[in-house]
Amino acid sequence: MTNRSKRSEQTVPCHACPVRKLTRFQPLPESQQAVVQQYRAGQTLLPAKHHLYREGELHGNIYTLFSGWVMLYKTLSNGGRQILRYALPGDFISFQADLQAPMNHSAQTLTECTLCVFPRQNLIQMLQTHPELGLQIAWITARDMTLGQEYLVNIGRKNAKERLAFLFTELFQRMGMHDPKIGNSIPFPMTQEDIADTLGLTLVHVNRTLRNLREEGLINLSHHTLTILDYAQLAELAGFNNDTLATDQPLL
Amino acid sequence: MTNRSKRSEQTVPCHACPVRKLTRFQPLPESQQAVVQQYRAGQTLLPAKHHLYREGELHGNIYTLFSGWVMLYKTLSNGGRQILRYALPGDFISFQADLQAPMNHSAQTLTECTLCVFPRQNLIQMLQTHPELGLQIAWITARDMTLGQEYLVNIGRKNAKERLAFLFTELFQRMGMHDPKIGNSIPFPMTQEDIADTLGLTLVHVNRTLRNLREEGLINLSHHTLTILDYAQLAELAGFNNDTLATDQPLL
DNA sequence: CGATTAATTGATCGTATTCAACTGTGGTGG
DNA sequence: CCACCACAGTTGAATACGATCAATTAATCG
């Protein structure tokens, strides 16, 4: 149990992780979907371990992920890596505050991926012609930011076991496996090193903590498949709260 | 030096922290400023240590901070706290993906603050009438998200000294102190416990690391004033890179 | 099937935590 | 003005969680 400031003045209520509300793919209203179609430049199929773009590069496209997993990360001067989040089908990739500037992070496929490609210029044009889409983007960005904040809490204030538990429940939820039926599995394309770089731990310690979770019968992770054996206990460990029922509605 | 995976395949270039591009208050174009004025419900003066809102509350307002410091944080079930970021003058506060849902974080003033208040309903109306403002919000949100990602890297992949160094340089930059002249000071209203809860450390360890930095002549922090004695070395420690020159331009 | 990458385990070390006590500071009221 | 209190900062000692170093086993892929 690490760094838990138990301040006495404990008036502030805890309302645990609302990742649930971040999980589902929010389809655009039909009217807007048609509009968006006009601006896309087609679809790409990329192999696993392929970089969409790298930190520091000027990059011309924006993407929507149709199938597969993409990981977004940043690199440190000493060779370290911090994974920021995993993009799942439906996610929007490579949007950043300054569309002209070099990318502030890298994106690499973990599996084979199908992506819908929008040239940046098209996006800009689209936003000029259909300004109401700006708000959609604000909504998506705010949702991604909330997930990032959950990650911050996870890394900053939880021990290794709890961090693992959180990552697993988060991905399980985002994959759309809300079923109460226990013992479900999801594909899990990342390596233990990836997990380590997501959670601010080392590869070795991730491995040991995984064994620990396995021995306690909470999960099983092998051959790139994650099986949740005891969701309730895992969510409890993670400080993950399903109560926060989500209205997945967009802003307006 | 903690958790630095030195993977051999070191092809990915490192492009260090572009916080600089996140620092300055991006004023709206004049045309839009006039529009926004119509929807604000006036200004408030709040004392220090006052909560704007708490996690889990339904909250009716959106704010722009005019003067003072506000801290945004999340609470854990075990009593822990993770500070997400410090809002400085010009920052937008309390916008989240689901405007109807309970707040997903808390906001508390660190100093006396002047805020501009927008009732949520007004914001929604404003966005309906002037959809082009949605993109402005997307821009602001994306910028805040980028800062959050820097925090993630900071907590996930750096040791205590580096984390402190980063926080100091970040705030120094965001306060608008880009002057090359060495030895400048900024107000620093947070306690050592706040710093600890920002950086994923404990109060005690922050204290020791501060002493360390002081003894090395990099900073001085006392009486809520931070003095940067050796910016270059501090930025180096933090992995902070000024090269990334910023175009502070909005999207369109 | 051999080569490369990923997972696993052991031993040791160190950074940061924890527990605990003490010092300084600022504010309040007698 | 000083006594008192609450709170922030400081320091010490012991501990622990996770890192580091190193070597071995298991998967995966051409």
Side-chain angles (χ1 to χ4, degrees):
Chain A
M1 309 284 143
T2 78
N3 18 312
R4 303 181 152 174
S5 13
K6 340 175 171 93
R7 61 187 53 66
S8 42
E9 171 254 338
Q10 187 44 40
T11 51
V12 181
C14 170
H15 294 272
C17 173
V19 168
R20 184 114 173 252
K21 87 172 45 154
L22 309 171
T23 59
R24 278 165 244 160
F25 178 30
Q26 177 61 46
L28 285 171
E30 285 190 24
S31 57
Q32 292 185 1
Q33 275 193 28
V35 169
V36 174
Q37 291 302 326
Q38 297 166 14
Y39 292 91
R40 69 193 198 119
Q43 219 164 291
T44 332
L45 182 69
L46 289 179
K49 319 225 170 181
H50 183 270
H51 270 90
L52 289 165
Y53 49 85
R54 289 183 147 95
E55 208 171 335
E57 277 181 18
L58 284 168
H59 185 70
N61 296 322
I62 307 265
Y63 306 91
T64 300
L65 184 57
F66 276 0
S67 71
W69 293 56
V70 172
M71 100 193 154
L72 310 184
Y73 68 93
K74 284 176 79 72
T75 309
L76 289 90
S77 40
N78 58 50
R81 178 179 66 152
Q82 175 66 48
I83 292 173
L84 304 171
R85 68 183 176 102
Y86 297 96
L88 298 184
D91 281 0
F92 202 46
I93 297 175
S94 108
F95 180 78
Q96 61 181 19
D98 190 338
L99 285 177
Q100 320 294 336
M103 297 307 302
N104 62 28
H105 65 276
S106 308
Q108 186 178 21
T109 60
L110 283 168
T111 64
E112 189 178 75
C113 288
T114 331
L115 298 131
C116 175
V117 184
F118 294 85
R120 265 180 158 62
Q121 283 314 315
N122 289 21
L123 184 84
I124 290 174
Q125 251 188 286
M126 181 175 88
L127 286 167
Q128 278 166 336
T129 323
H130 301 277
E132 69 281 5
L133 289 171
L135 190 61
Q136 282 292 338
I137 294 183
W139 182 80
I140 291 170
T141 309
R143 202 195 42 167
D144 292 345
M145 184 169 71
T146 303
L147 182 59
Q149 292 176 342
E150 296 294 342
Y151 271 47
L152 210 52
V153 174
N154 198 38
I155 296 187
R157 283 283 170 258
K158 295 185 202 156
N159 64 29
K161 210 166 154 186
E162 295 166 330
R163 293 186 210 181
L164 264 296
F166 179 84
L167 181 65
F168 294 151
T169 41
E170 179 237 328
L171 290 172
F172 197 69
Q173 293 285 1
R174 287 179 63 208
M175 288 292 287
M177 315 294 281
H178 314 87
D179 310 49
K181 71 164 175 263
I182 274 169
N184 227 327
S185 293
I186 58 171
F188 200 86
M190 50 271 214
T191 66
Q192 295 185 3
E193 185 171 22
D194 292 334
I195 301 179
D197 288 342
T198 309
L199 301 178
L201 299 167
T202 53
L203 191 166
V204 174
H205 198 58
V206 164
N207 184 286
R208 294 190 165 117
T209 310
L210 277 174
R211 179 176 44 164
N212 191 326
L213 288 171
R214 196 185 314 124
E215 285 168 356
E216 293 187 18
L218 298 186
I219 59 142
N220 192 25
L221 176 54
S222 59
H223 303 279
H224 295 290
T225 300
L226 170 69
T227 307
I228 306 275
L229 299 170
D230 188 340
Y231 182 80
Q233 232 185 301
L234 206 64
E236 163 75 18
L237 234 189
F240 201 100
N241 193 344
N242 272 349
D243 310 341
T244 328
L245 283 180
T247 76
D248 283 308
Q249 293 317 307
L251 294 167
L252 296 183
Chain B
M1 309 286 143
T2 78
N3 20 310
R4 305 180 151 173
S5 16
K6 339 173 171 94
R7 61 189 51 69
S8 41
E9 170 256 339
Q10 185 44 42
T11 51
V12 181
C14 168
H15 295 271
C17 169
V19 168
R20 185 116 174 250
K21 91 175 36 153
L22 308 171
T23 57
R24 278 165 245 157
F25 178 30
Q26 176 62 44
L28 286 172
E30 283 190 25
S31 58
Q32 292 186 1
Q33 277 195 25
V35 168
V36 173
Q37 292 302 326
Q38 298 165 14
Y39 292 91
R40 69 192 198 121
Q43 218 164 294
T44 332
L45 181 69
L46 290 179
K49 319 227 170 178
H50 183 270
H51 270 90
L52 287 163
Y53 50 85
R54 289 183 146 94
E55 211 170 333
E57 278 181 17
L58 286 168
H59 185 71
N61 296 321
I62 307 265
Y63 306 92
T64 300
L65 184 57
F66 276 179
S67 71
W69 293 56
V70 172
M71 98 193 156
L72 310 184
Y73 67 92
K74 284 176 78 71
T75 310
L76 288 91
S77 40
N78 57 47
R81 177 180 68 152
Q82 175 66 47
I83 292 173
L84 305 170
R85 68 182 175 102
Y86 297 96
L88 298 184
D91 282 359
F92 203 45
I93 298 176
S94 108
F95 180 79
Q96 61 182 19
D98 191 337
L99 285 178
Q100 320 295 335
M103 297 307 303
N104 62 26
H105 65 276
S106 308
Q108 187 178 21
T109 59
L110 283 169
T111 64
E112 190 179 73
C113 288
T114 331
L115 297 130
C116 174
V117 184
F118 294 84
R120 264 179 159 61
Q121 284 314 317
N122 288 23
L123 185 83
I124 291 175
Q125 249 189 285
M126 180 175 87
L127 287 166
Q128 279 166 336
T129 322
H130 300 275
E132 70 280 5
L133 288 172
L135 191 61
Q136 282 293 335
I137 294 183
W139 182 80
I140 290 171
T141 309
R143 202 195 43 166
D144 291 345
M145 184 169 70
T146 302
L147 182 59
Q149 292 176 341
E150 295 294 340
Y151 270 47
L152 210 52
V153 174
N154 198 39
I155 295 187
R157 283 283 170 260
K158 295 187 202 157
N159 64 29
K161 211 166 152 186
E162 295 166 332
R163 293 186 209 180
L164 264 296
F166 178 85
L167 181 64
F168 294 152
T169 41
E170 180 238 328
L171 290 172
F172 197 68
Q173 293 285 0
R174 287 179 64 209
M175 289 290 288
M177 314 296 281
H178 315 86
D179 310 51
K181 70 164 176 257
I182 275 168
N184 227 328
S185 295
I186 58 171
F188 200 86
M190 49 271 214
T191 66
Q192 294 185 359
E193 184 169 24
D194 293 334
I195 300 179
D197 288 343
T198 308
L199 301 177
L201 299 168
T202 53
L203 191 166
V204 174
H205 197 56
V206 165
N207 184 286
R208 292 188 168 120
T209 310
L210 277 174
R211 179 174 45 162
N212 191 326
L213 288 170
R214 197 185 314 124
E215 284 168 356
E216 293 188 17
L218 298 186
I219 58 140
N220 193 25
L221 176 55
S222 60
H223 303 281
H224 295 291
T225 301
L226 170 69
T227 307
I228 307 275
L229 299 169
D230 188 339
Y231 181 82
Q233 232 185 302
L234 206 65
E236 163 74 20
L237 235 188
F240 201 102
N241 192 342
N242 272 348
D243 309 342
T244 327
L245 283 180
T247 77
D248 283 307
Q249 292 317 308
L251 294 166
L252 298 182

